[in-house]
Amino acid sequence: MTEQMSITAGGMVAGWWVELPLEEDGAPVWARIEVVLPPEKTMEDRYALRLRRDDEVWWVKVSGRLPFPVCDVDPTVGGPQGG
């Protein structure tokens, strides 16, 4: 099930899926969270996420307070959202 959650609410953990825009001016896409680095590791007030979608990998920084769509299973497989 997809929910809107922030990192600080426990919504972004390694192995879960998050929907974020990964390209400049791009539409949001689902990608799997591989690594979550907290602000004390990034030395900023944001979290760093390493995301994977197929063979592509991104590092993105997000606020811990902003909610994003997250899911504990791949939302792109089956059902009305996936193929």
Side-chain angles (χ1 to χ4, degrees), residues 26-44:
V29 296
W30 285 100
R32 190 163 193 248
I33 301 169
E34 292 189 323
V35 176
V36 178
L37 295 178
E40 50 271 9
K41 295 284 188 184
T42 65
M43 305 304 278
E44 296 182 30

Side-chain angles (χ1 to χ4, degrees), residues 7-49:
I7 292 177
T8 54
M12 292 190 199
V13 296
W16 280 36
W17 293 76
V18 63
E19 188 180 40
L20 293 170
L22 298 176
E23 302 292 337
E24 187 174 336
D25 298 325
V29 296
W30 285 100
R32 190 163 193 248
I33 301 169
E34 292 189 323
V35 176
V36 178
L37 295 178
E40 50 271 9
K41 295 284 188 184
T42 65
M43 305 304 278
E44 296 182 30
D45 62 347
R46 299 179 291 173
Y47 288 75
L49 304 174

Side-chain angles (χ1 to χ4, degrees), residues 4 11 34 65 68:
Q4 291 276 339
E34 292 189 323
R65 297 178 304 277
F68 294 97

Side-chain angles (χ1 to χ4, degrees), residues 46-65:
R46 299 179 291 173
Y47 288 75
L49 304 174
R50 185 174 73 195
L51 306 173
R52 177 178 296 274
R53 183 168 183 228
D54 299 321
D55 292 335
E56 296 181 87
V57 176
W58 296 270
W59 278 98
V60 297
K61 291 184 180 174
V62 297
S63 166
R65 297 178 304 277

